[in-house]
Amino acid sequence: MGVRAGSGGRVLNLDTMVRLQRGLRTPGTLRRLTVPEGMTAPLGCDAVAVPARLGPLVMPRLPSVGCVFADAAHWWWIVPSDSDYALEWPAPAHYATDAVVPDTPDLPGLIHRPDGTLPYTPPIPLYLAVCLLTGTTPSWSRPVSA
């Protein structure tokens, strides 16, 4: 499925439209979470934040945990890039493309590092844990209206 772009006849699919939207960021200083030295991120890095009060409740619900950062307000999980594709992360979670954190006085600190060299928390179990804790029905389980 695609959308025709103007009279040029080019078809834009969902991937293209998502990438175009991400390119519309306002210029300025971007502050990113970075993976620890010695780790690799071959799939790119995005991040999912939840309020700090939910962080300790999410951790034990995950089968494996990658890098987790925290500050007084949020816990941030590193996930592969595009882990928001076709997912609506429930409020109050925040999905951060390229692991860019909002303006804060200090970057969150690393509170968990996995044993291996990959920094990722699997996004689907993280999504399900956040849905469970926020009382949100996962997007694929919601009724579809015509």
Side-chain angles (χ1 to χ4, degrees):
M1 180 171 133
V3 174
R4 224 168 261 289
S7 61
R10 182 173 176 214
V11 175
L12 301 176
N13 63 25
L14 185 58
D15 278 340
T16 304
M17 291 188 291
V18 167
R19 295 212 186 277
L20 287 172
Q21 178 189 18
R22 289 181 177 169
L24 296 176
R25 286 206 187 104
T26 56
T29 303
L30 298 179
R31 302 180 65 215
R32 288 186 173 92
L33 299 173
T34 57
V35 298
E37 191 172 318
M39 299 193 94
T40 61
L43 302 175
C45 285
D46 287 349
V48 176
V50 299
R53 65 181 168 75
L54 294 178
L57 302 173
V58 170
M59 281 290 251
R61 289 176 165 80
L62 300 174
S64 63
V65 179
C67 289
V68 181
F69 296 82
D71 58 24
H74 296 94
W75 283 32
W76 299 82
W77 279 264
I78 297 295
V79 295
S81 290
D82 299 325
S83 292
D84 62 336
Y85 182 77
L87 288 179
E88 296 173 30
W89 287 84
H94 171 75
Y95 191 87
T97 303
D98 295 329
V100 173
V101 298
D103 292 331
T104 57
D106 297 307
L107 276 174
L110 183 68
I111 63 167
H112 182 269
R113 177 186 172 141
D115 292 331
T117 59
L118 296 176
Y120 305 121
T121 294
I124 298 300
L126 178 59
Y127 174 78
L128 291 171
V130 173
C131 283
L132 177 71
L133 292 170
T134 60
T136 304
T137 302
S139 57
W140 58 76
S141 297
R142 295 183 199 139
V144 177
S145 61

